[in-house]
Amino acid sequence: MKKLTLSTLAAATLVLASATSPAMAGGYYHGGYHGYHGGYHGGGGGWWVAGALGLVAAGALIAANQPTYVAPAPVYAAPVYSAPVYAAPPVYAAPPVAQTEYAPPPARSTGDLIAYPAHGQTQAQQNRDRAECQNWAVNQSGFDPSSVTQYSNNVQVDSYNRAMSACMTGRGYSVS
């Protein structure tokens, strides 16, 4: 018995599809409308089936006759490098810059806070209240007026003065 190949099978399918397409389409043309129920009863769906079978057969035939390409296996080898070449980096000299010393702006004075005793506090009580409020204001503002540096700024001084004023007002002093 002879062995069927793909191309022989595709050719047979193509012949059968083209030979049976009129039969699948509902037969040959019999002349007009059929019956009295209205409408045309002729079939057209068989042509679609036959066309689809024909396309499949033609595609199989084309695929069977295409040559097969096999890519050669890649060959891996260690890369070949030459000895590294080191070049000296370019010499860059920065242009001379005139150094100008800027004096920091004078910090606002923290001694301009005047607190009047509103409830008849004694001098000893006033000194103790002022010392306690100074410690509290330093902790609140992060600024210590006894150690002013070039990095001290007006925001810190204002924060210290507000904290000092709030503390003295809370202890019964009139602050101006």
Side-chain angles (χ1 to χ4, degrees), residues 32-98:
Y33 294 94
H34 300 281
Y36 58 90
H37 297 291
Y40 175 68
H41 293 288
W47 287 105
W48 290 98
V49 174
L53 287 175
L55 285 175
V56 169
L61 195 74
I62 291 171
N65 291 328
Q66 292 293 323
T68 303
Y69 296 102
V70 177
V75 177
Y76 296 104
V80 179
Y81 296 113
S82 60
V85 177
Y86 295 103
V91 177
Y92 174 75
V97 177

Side-chain angles (χ1 to χ4, degrees), residues 3-161:
K3 185 176 180 183
L4 289 176
T5 61
L6 185 61
S7 61
T8 308
L9 187 60
T13 306
L14 186 59
V15 168
L16 283 174
S18 61
T20 59
S21 60
M24 289 182 176
Y28 293 98
Y29 182 69
H30 295 292
Y33 294 94
H34 300 281
Y36 58 90
H37 297 291
Y40 175 68
H41 293 288
W47 287 105
W48 290 98
V49 174
L53 287 175
L55 285 175
V56 169
L61 195 74
I62 291 171
N65 291 328
Q66 292 293 323
T68 303
Y69 296 102
V70 177
V75 177
Y76 296 104
V80 179
Y81 296 113
S82 60
V85 177
Y86 295 103
V91 177
Y92 174 75
V97 177
Q99 295 290 333
T100 305
E101 286 291 326
Y102 293 103
R108 287 184 45 197
S109 171
T110 57
D112 59 356
L113 183 71
I114 300 172
Y116 299 104
H119 299 291
Q121 292 94 336
T122 64
Q123 186 62 38
Q125 180 67 36
Q126 291 176 21
N127 291 339
R128 187 170 54 249
D129 287 343
R130 183 171 285 274
E132 289 174 0
C133 284
Q134 284 175 346
N135 287 335
W136 185 79
V138 167
N139 286 333
Q140 292 297 313
S141 67
F143 173 73
D144 189 2
S146 64
S147 61
V148 177
T149 65
Q150 64 182 2
Y151 303 110
S152 299
N153 58 31
N154 287 339
V155 174
Q156 292 173 326
V157 174
D158 288 341
S159 177
Y160 173 81
N161 285 339

